[in-house]
Amino acid sequence: MAAGYATADEISASTGAASYCGSCIQALTTLTGDPGGTPVVVEIERIGGDLLVVTLKPIDGANFPQRHVSGGHVVLSIKDEKGWVSRPYTITSPPEEVDRRVLVVRCLTSGRMGRVLARSHGNARARIGTPRGDAFARLKRRRATAFLVAGVGLTPALAALRAKNGPPVAFVHASFREQEPGLERVLADACAPRNVPITVLNCKVVGLQSASDFTALARKHPGIDWFICGPVGYEKAVRIGLRAAGVSSARVHAEQFVASSSPGDSPPARIRTQAENNWAKTGLWLVAAWCAWAVLPPYEAWSEWQSSDAWRTTTGLILIALIAWQWVFPSLRGRGGLGRARRLELWHRAIGALSPIALLLHQRDLAHGLLCTLSILFVANTIVGSLDKTCVSDASHRERYMKFWLPTHVATSCLITALSVWHVIMVVTYRGGAS
Amino acid sequence: MTRLIWTRARKRAYGAAVIALLALLSLLMWPDAAWLQAAGKPTPGHENLQCSACHMAAPGELRQQLQASLRYFLGLRESPAPIGNADVANSACYACHERPTEHHPLSLMGELRFLDVQTEHGVHNCTGCHQEHHGVRVTASPTICSNCHSDDLVVNDPITPDHAALFASGKWDSCLRCHDFHGNHQMKTGDYNYPSTLEQGVASQDVLDHLGAGKSAYGPVLHPAKQAVSPK
Amino acid sequence: MKASRLVAPLVLLVVAIYLVATAPEALAASSKTERSLTTRSLFMVLANENDIARSLYTEEIVGPGKKIGLAFSEDWADPAVLAGPLPAVFLRCCAEIISKKSSIMLRLASDYPIELRNQLVGTELKRFQEMKDRGVPVFYVNEDAKRQVAMFPDIAVSMACVACHNSHEHSAKSDWALNDVMGATTWSWPTERISHKEALKIVKDFRGAVRTVYSSFVDKIRGVKGMPGIGLGWPADCISLPDPDQFLAECVKRASGKTLKILMADESWK
C-alpha cells in the first residue's frame, strides 16, 4: 500500500497474495476498502436448492481485459451493508468466452457472500478481480484425468469439460449429499459434448463414499490421473482410497475451497448437527416431564422410596458429579483447548439434556425457599442450554443472541453450583431427629 | 494448556455470574431471610421459631467434629460425631411442649417391647411422627395406632360400633375421631371422657385437616405450648 | 514441575495440617477407653434409690394418707380428681421425667398387671420367670435394641400393696400375699459402661423426678379443706405430709449409704 497499490486486486497482483487459495482476499479487501477489478453486472440463475449459476458480464458490455486459464479462479466482490465482501470462485466458463465469466456458487445464507447473493436481484453490480491460478497446472495433458468431485466441488470438472484445450477427462465421478438436480443437469450438459462418462451418486440413497469405494474405483482404472475437489472429509477419503490402490501421489491432484474471512467478518455460523438437535429436543422434553411432575399430585410409593437417606445421598452425589462434570467443557474451552473441548461438547450437551432425570430421581417435591429456587434454576438452565447459539441460523442475529445467552447460561450455572454446595453443607450440618 | 483467555464475551458472562453470586450471598446472610434456607415450610405454629430453637450446636468445634467423623469413617471411633448441629433431640420439643398429662409419653413409646414400632416408625422420638419442614402438624399416618393397639380388648365397651368391630374392619383411621393422641384436648362428651359414637367425635376430614395444616379439630388445648407462637 | 500440578498436593497438605497436625483434642466418644462405671452398678444404684423412694411413699404417705381420708388413684393427674398417684403410677411418672433427660429407660411390668399395657411378654416374661426362680435380679443384653437391661423384682413389702392389688377391679390376680414378686422394675441403658459423671447425673435426675412427682401431688392438695397440712410436723405429728424437700431429703438419707457402697464396689476402681 505504501508503494501506491490501492486496491485488493492490485496488491494481489503485485504480491501474489490470494493467488493460491484466495482465503486472504477478504482481508485485503477490508484493509484497502476497495476490491478493485472490473465492474460487472451479475446475472443469477437459481438451479435448485441453494445453488446459483452466476454469470458476470462487464458493465460496459466489452470483453474482459484478461483471459483466464482453465482451472483458474477469480475474486468476486459485492457490496453489502458492512462494505465489500470478496470471495474467490473457480471459473467454470471456458477461457474462450471472453465476454462473460460463469461461476457456480452454493449460496449459504450463513455466510456473508451467500446472504448478499440471496438478496440480489437481477443486474446487481459487482466487481471481478484479475483471474488467477491454474488448478490444472500439474495435470499432464497426455494423460486422462478422472475427476472425483463432491457437491459444489464439481466446478473444476466443469472448467475442464468446458475448455476447448482443457485436460482430457477420463470420467467424472460426482457425489452429492442430497438430490441436486441442478448440479447434475449442469454436469451432464458439460459431459455430453465430449461423451465423458459420468457417475452421479446421491449419498442420501447410497451412503457416504468411503475410502474403500475409491480403492475399488482406482483399481478399475489404472494408469490415469486423479483430480479431487470436495469437502475436506471427502478429499481425505479419496486420498486414502487411492493410496490403498497403489496410486502414486504424483498422480493425485486436488483443489480445496478454503473459507475466506477477515477479522471484520462474522465467522461462518456453525450449523447444529443432528445429534445436537436430538439432545436439545431431549432436554426440552425432559423439562416438560419435570414440569408435569411438579404440577401433578405426588405418587405415594415414590415419595416414600425417595425419603430414604441412602437413596437421597446416592442421587445427590450423582447430581453433584453431573454439575462438576459440566464445568470441564467450559474450563477446557476457556483455556484454548478447542480440540479437546470440541470432543467434549456433545457430552456437555448430552449430560445437560439428561440432567432433569437426575433431579427428578433426587427430589421428592419442589421444596421451599432456596431449595425450590435451586430446582427451578436447574431446570431453567437445561432450557437455556438447549436453546444455545446453534439454534439461530443467521450469523449476525446469533452474535446478538449470544450477548444475552452466554451471561444467562454462565450466571445460572454459577448459581446452581453455589446453591448445590450450600445445600450439601446444610444437609451435613443440619440433621433431623435422632434415630 | 494455557491460562484462561478472557474474551469480552467471557468477561461479560462471568461478570453477570459474580453479580448473581453476590446477590445470593447477601440473601444467605440476611437474618430476616433465614426462612428461605429451611428445608421446607414450617409446622403450623412454628413460623416464628429460629433455626437454633431445635438445631443445637453439636459438641466441639468444627475441626474436632471433622476429625471425629474422619476417625469414625476409618473405623477408629465407635460412634459418629455430628458436624455443625446435633440431631434434633426430644428435649428441643419438650422445651415448649412438655405437659403433665401425656397419654403416649416417650418413656412408654421407648419401651423395649415396642422395638419393632420404634424401628419402623420412630415412635420413641417426637420427630418420628412430627417431622419438621413439611408444613403439616403430623407426618405419620393416621392409622399408626394399629401398630400397638391391634390386640387391645376393651372391657364393657361403651361405644357404638364397639372397638372390636372397628378393629376387625380395619378402620384405624377412625381412632383419632374420638381420641386425641396426646390427651391435650378436652374430649369429654356427657359422662364419658371420650365420644361414644363416631358421629359425636370429630369428622374424618377435620381430623385430616388437623393433622395437616388446617384448623385445629379437637377444641381447646389443656396445656398450651410454653412459647406462644403465632403465624406471621 | 508445572505449577498446576502442585495445587492438589498442596491442598491435601493444608487439609492434613488443619485436620490432623494442628488439630485440637479429639472429641470425647462414649468409648471403653474412658474411665467409667459399669452399667450394672448404675442399675443397682437406681434400683436402690427406686426401692427407697417407693417404700417411703407407700409406707409413709399412701398408707397413713388413706387412713386420714386421702385418695390415691391412677387418674390422679385429672384435675377433677383430688387424689395422689398410686405407688406404681408414682414410679411411672418418674420414668416419664427421666426419659426426657437422658437415654435411661424405666418400666414397671408384671405377669398379672392391673393395666394390660404393663403386661410382661416375650423375652421380658422369660427373663422375669428366670428372676423369680433365681430370686435375684437379672442382667442381660437386648441384642435387637442394643441395650443393657436389668430386671429387679418388685416385692410386696407392705399389706397396702397386697390389699390394693387383690381388691382392684381390673387386677388379673386376687390372691397376692406379702413378699410375693408382684412384678419387675426394668432399667435399660444403651452401653455397657457409663462415665461416672453421666451416672451421677442420672441418679440426680431420678431424685429430681421423685421430688417433682411428689411435688405435683402436694400442690394438688395444698390448701384444700380437709386435706392434711404439708411439712409442718412430719413425720412426728403423724397427721401432716412432708413437703417435697423433706420427702426428698428422707429418700436421700435412706438411700445414700447403699448407693455409695454400690458405687465403691464397682470394678472400675480396681
Side-chain angles (χ1 to χ4, degrees):
Chain A
M1 283 169 81
Y5 296 113
T7 69
D9 196 45
E10 286 169 358
I11 293 175
S12 175
S14 64
T15 63
S19 62
Y20 180 63
C21 67
S23 63
C24 63
I25 191 59
Q26 180 62 49
L28 287 177
T29 303
T30 306
L31 195 64
T32 58
D34 183 353
T38 309
V40 293
V41 167
V42 179
E43 290 169 11
I44 293 176
E45 181 195 346
R46 288 179 164 75
I47 57 171
D50 51 11
L51 296 163
L52 311 174
V53 169
V54 179
T55 305
L56 307 164
K57 296 179 180 169
I59 280 181
D60 56 9
N63 295 336
F64 282 106
Q66 304 101 348
R67 283 180 72 145
H68 65 279
V69 297
S70 173
H73 66 267
V74 73
V75 175
L76 173 65
S77 302
I78 299 183
K79 240 187 174 170
D80 68 0
E81 65 278 359
K82 286 190 192 173
W84 287 101
V85 51
S86 301
R87 299 286 184 267
Y89 295 99
T90 302
I91 306 168
T92 61
S93 52
E96 302 80 58
E97 282 183 11
V98 294
D99 62 339
R100 67 188 68 209
R101 299 226 155 100
V102 179
L103 316 174
V104 175
V105 176
R106 187 181 292 281
C107 177
L108 294 172
T109 53
S110 54
R112 201 173 150 196
M113 177 62 84
R115 286 197 294 279
V116 169
L117 288 174
R119 288 197 304 259
S120 288
H121 49 83
N123 302 322
R125 298 289 191 266
R127 298 267 191 91
I128 182 170
T130 310
R132 300 199 189 287
D134 179 359
F136 305 140
R138 290 178 55 218
L139 292 180
K140 295 281 184 276
R141 298 306 164 113
R142 290 189 303 269
R143 257 202 312 264
T145 303
F147 279 76
L148 305 179
V149 298
V152 79
L154 58 68
T155 47
L158 286 178
L161 287 164
R162 286 173 176 170
K164 212 190 272 182
N165 297 319
V169 177
F171 62 87
V172 174
H173 182 281
S175 308
F176 300 114
R177 258 187 209 277
E178 313 254 342
Q179 195 93 29
E180 304 258 22
L183 278 181
E184 288 176 38
R185 192 181 68 244
V186 163
L187 201 51
D189 289 346
C191 288
R194 292 164 67 168
N195 287 325
V196 171
I198 173 173
T199 309
V200 174
L201 297 176
N202 181 345
C203 291
K204 221 173 182 175
V205 172
V206 305
L208 285 174
Q209 296 291 285
S210 68
S212 50
D213 293 323
F214 295 111
T215 305
L217 186 66
R219 284 189 180 137
K220 273 194 213 162
H221 301 278
I224 59 173
D225 278 18
W226 300 86
F227 192 97
I228 315 166
C229 188
V232 169
Y234 174 84
E235 186 191 316
K236 198 173 165 184
V238 173
R239 282 186 184 275
I240 292 170
L242 293 180
R243 195 164 53 235
V247 176
S248 154
S249 57
R251 292 196 172 203
V252 179
H253 318 275
E255 182 168 20
Q256 254 189 344
F257 294 159
V258 178
S260 189
S261 66
S262 74
D265 276 354
S266 310
R270 186 170 79 73
I271 301 165
R272 195 178 251 196
T273 65
Q274 191 60 40
E276 288 168 349
N277 206 29
N278 290 341
W279 281 119
K281 283 185 193 162
T282 304
L284 292 172
W285 274 113
L286 287 174
V287 165
W290 182 90
C291 292
W293 165 88
V295 167
L296 293 171
Y299 180 44
E300 289 283 338
W302 176 300
S303 209
E304 220 175 283
W305 173 49
Q306 282 187 310
S307 297
S308 83
D309 278 350
W311 178 260
R312 277 154 65 190
T313 305
T314 308
T315 52
L317 285 172
I318 290 171
L319 267 171
I320 291 284
L322 286 182
I323 292 169
W325 162 258
Q326 288 295 78
W327 283 106
V328 172
F329 168 69
S331 169
L332 275 179
R333 198 174 160 147
R335 282 170 164 72
L338 290 171
R340 282 170 67 181
R342 202 161 285 134
R343 283 196 288 278
L344 284 178
E345 187 178 351
L346 195 60
W347 280 105
H348 182 82
R349 290 172 184 272
I351 300 287
L354 294 173
S355 58
I357 297 178
L359 185 65
L360 258 177
L361 289 175
H362 180 66
Q363 65 179 156
R364 290 171 298 176
D365 49 45
L366 268 182
H368 165 87
L370 286 174
L371 271 181
C372 181
T373 308
L374 175 55
S375 303
I376 291 172
L377 280 176
F378 193 95
V379 166
N381 207 27
T382 305
I383 299 174
V384 171
S386 300
L387 300 176
D388 71 309
K389 66 178 182 185
T390 54
C391 70
V392 178
S393 52
D394 188 279
S396 60
H397 291 161
R398 185 179 284 192
E399 211 174 304
R400 276 199 294 276
Y401 183 70
M402 280 298 278
K403 280 187 181 158
F404 154 76
W405 184 89
L406 191 62
T408 306
H409 191 47
V410 170
T412 314
S413 304
C414 288
L415 276 176
I416 290 168
T417 308
L419 280 171
S420 302
V421 170
W422 161 83
H423 177 51
V424 168
I425 292 172
M426 293 297 274
V427 161
V428 169
T429 59
Y430 282 87
R431 297 152 66 97
S435 52
Chain B
M1 189 95 50
T2 60
R3 57 191 172 84
L4 195 65
I5 301 164
W6 284 104
T7 61
R8 201 185 317 166
R10 206 163 278 143
K11 280 184 196 168
R12 202 184 300 132
Y14 283 94
V18 165
I19 292 169
L21 287 173
L22 285 174
L24 175 64
L25 191 63
S26 313
L27 198 63
L28 288 173
M29 292 172 64
W30 185 23
D32 285 348
W35 65 274
L36 281 173
Q37 298 190 44
K41 284 189 227 164
T43 296
H46 287 182
E47 293 85 353
N48 292 339
L49 283 185
Q50 298 297 314
C51 307
S52 52
C54 303
H55 294 284
M56 318 288 185
E61 53 166 82
L62 178 62
R63 271 204 287 181
Q64 287 176 306
Q65 293 159 5
L66 287 172
Q67 197 190 45
S69 296
L70 186 63
R71 288 171 66 84
Y72 174 71
F73 181 70
L74 295 172
L76 300 173
R77 194 177 196 270
E78 271 178 15
S79 56
I83 298 172
N85 297 282
D87 289 354
V88 176
N90 294 332
S91 54
C93 311
Y94 283 137
C96 301
H97 293 285
E98 190 166 18
R99 52 184 83 96
T101 54
E102 174 59 65
H103 289 183
H104 289 87
L106 289 172
S107 57
L108 171 66
M109 309 298 261
E111 286 180 11
L112 298 180
R113 60 194 166 118
F114 297 129
L115 187 62
D116 291 343
V117 192
Q118 289 165 21
T119 308
E120 195 174 336
H121 299 287
V123 294
H124 57 308
N125 290 312
C126 304
T127 53
C129 298
H130 299 278
Q131 283 181 40
E132 185 61 56
H133 302 303
H134 283 72
V136 295
R137 290 189 181 90
V138 175
T139 48
S141 162
T143 59
I144 200 171
C145 315
S146 62
N147 288 284
C148 298
H149 292 283
S150 54
D151 294 334
D152 282 9
L153 182 65
V154 179
V155 177
N156 299 326
D157 199 335
I159 71 167
T160 311
D162 63 14
H163 284 91
L166 287 171
F167 293 172
S169 59
K171 283 196 184 343
W172 293 101
D173 54 343
S174 64
C175 305
L176 294 176
R177 293 180 65 181
C178 300
H179 299 277
D180 85 285
F181 192 90
H182 292 290
N184 199 29
H185 294 267
Q186 179 57 263
M187 301 291 288
K188 213 169 169 82
T189 314
D191 292 334
Y192 298 106
N193 287 334
Y194 298 104
S196 44
T197 63
L198 288 174
E199 289 66 37
Q200 286 177 352
V202 178
S204 292
Q205 190 54 51
D206 290 348
V207 169
L208 291 174
D209 289 346
H210 176 87
L211 299 181
K215 206 164 57 100
S216 174
Y218 291 97
V221 168
L222 296 176
H223 304 280
K226 283 191 187 127
Q227 290 174 41
V229 287
S230 54
K232 283 181 189 164
Chain C
M1 189 186 272
K2 273 190 188 168
S4 58
R5 292 197 184 167
L6 291 174
V7 168
L10 268 175
V11 166
L12 276 173
L13 184 64
V14 166
V15 168
I17 290 171
Y18 176 76
L19 274 186
V20 180
T22 61
E25 194 183 298
L27 267 182
S30 53
S31 71
K32 300 164 197 166
T33 55
E34 205 183 308
R35 194 176 178 83
S36 51
L37 199 64
T38 59
T39 315
R40 181 182 285 223
S41 295
L42 171 67
F43 289 152
M44 283 162 60
V45 163
L46 290 170
N48 173 53
E49 297 277 329
N50 173 47
D51 283 344
I52 296 298
R54 197 152 72 157
S55 28
L56 178 66
Y57 183 72
T58 307
E59 289 160 14
E60 301 196 28
I61 309 297
V62 175
K66 274 185 160 176
K67 285 181 188 157
I68 57 169
L70 274 176
F72 294 89
S73 158
E74 293 108 20
D75 301 320
W76 77 283
D78 188 338
V81 173
L82 193 62
L86 289 167
V89 176
F90 184 100
L91 209 52
R92 223 166 46 230
C93 294
C94 293
E96 276 179 44
I97 294 171
I98 58 170
S99 70
K100 292 173 189 176
K101 294 179 191 286
S102 71
S103 300
I104 195 78
M105 294 289 213
L106 165 63
R107 162 158 152 81
L108 271 69
S110 172
D111 49 351
Y112 294 103
I114 287 176
E115 277 184 60
L116 272 177
R117 65 182 250 181
N118 299 327
Q119 175 72 56
L120 283 165
V121 292
T123 316
E124 281 185 319
L125 183 61
K126 244 176 37 185
R127 294 289 184 175
F128 177 72
Q129 291 301 339
E130 193 187 312
M131 183 186 71
K132 263 172 96 165
D133 297 339
R134 284 165 54 187
V136 291
V138 166
F139 299 91
Y140 64 96
V141 178
N142 183 316
E143 293 295 345
D144 294 330
K146 295 184 178 43
R147 288 182 81 93
Q148 307 288 317
V149 186
M151 193 178 266
F152 295 89
D154 288 338
I155 298 173
V157 295
S158 145
M159 277 314 292
C161 313
V162 171
C164 183
H165 275 258
N166 282 343
S167 60
H168 200 290
E169 58 172 331
H170 294 144
S171 180
K173 185 176 154 84
S174 54
D175 58 349
W176 293 106
L178 215 53
N179 298 320
D180 275 354
V181 177
M182 297 184 77
T185 300
T186 309
W187 296 89
S188 73
W189 177 256
T191 56
E192 204 184 320
R193 301 189 77 91
I194 181 170
S195 67
H196 293 102
K197 188 174 164 186
E198 200 163 7
L200 290 176
K201 183 184 172 295
I202 292 171
V203 173
K204 189 175 163 195
D205 287 342
F206 180 77
R207 289 178 177 179
V210 164
R211 187 192 181 286
T212 302
V213 178
Y214 181 76
S215 177
S216 305
F217 159 54
V218 155
D219 287 344
K220 236 182 157 182
I221 62 170
R222 194 193 294 271
V224 176
K225 197 173 170 191
M227 293 292 116
I230 307 297
L232 305 167
W234 185 83
D237 64 1
C238 300
I239 54 168
S240 62
L241 293 176
D243 66 27
D245 291 328
Q246 284 177 318
F247 182 77
L248 181 63
E250 187 60 28
C251 286
V252 169
K253 183 175 147 192
R254 295 186 190 189
S256 290
K258 191 170 175 190
T259 291
L260 186 61
K261 205 169 149 188
I262 296 168
L263 288 173
M264 296 291 287
D266 184 76
E267 63 184 51
S268 63
W269 302 114
K270 294 178 187 148

